[in-house]
Amino acid sequence: MNNNAYTLDRFEGDYAIFLKRPDETDQLLIHRAKIDVPVNEGDIVQILDDGENYQITVLQEQTEAQKEKVQNLLDRLKNQKN
């Protein structure tokens, strides 16, 4: 079994594209039909792969912390332009 954290980067057609954390350079493509929980772009998830199925858990605290971090960066950039 393999246990890893990923960020849901985007959906392309019938596939979700996950980027392995923390570097986010390796991709994991999972068919939408194999995802049994609601996920949104930007969500940080834990994926357990038993070789046949994926068990996906959204890591709410990490997702919220990352969204806040990104928003703070955007706010600082916006304030630098003014």
Side-chain angles (χ1 to χ4, degrees), residues 69-82:
K69 183 178 175 182
V70 168
Q71 187 60 51
N72 288 338
L73 287 170
L74 289 172
D75 290 345
R76 282 195 311 200
L77 288 171
K78 183 179 173 184
N79 289 334
Q80 284 180 352
K81 290 182 180 180
N82 293 333

Side-chain angles (χ1 to χ4, degrees), residues 20-79:
K20 187 174 180 182
R21 294 181 61 83
D23 299 331
E24 297 189 342
T25 54
D26 295 331
Q27 292 186 354
L28 174 64
L29 279 65
I30 300 178
H31 196 278
R32 286 181 187 238
K34 293 192 177 260
I35 300 173
D36 59 356
V37 295
V39 291
N40 298 302
E41 292 177 357
D43 283 351
I44 298 172
V45 298
Q46 185 174 37
I47 300 176
L48 185 64
D49 177 6
D50 66 8
E52 292 182 22
N53 297 302
Y54 295 100
Q55 180 182 358
I56 300 173
T57 305
V58 177
L59 303 174
Q60 292 291 353
E61 288 182 20
Q62 290 182 19
T63 298
E64 291 304 318
Q66 185 66 23
K67 286 181 182 179
E68 186 175 318
K69 183 178 175 182
V70 168
Q71 187 60 51
N72 288 338
L73 287 170
L74 289 172
D75 290 345
R76 282 195 311 200
L77 288 171
K78 183 179 173 184
N79 289 334

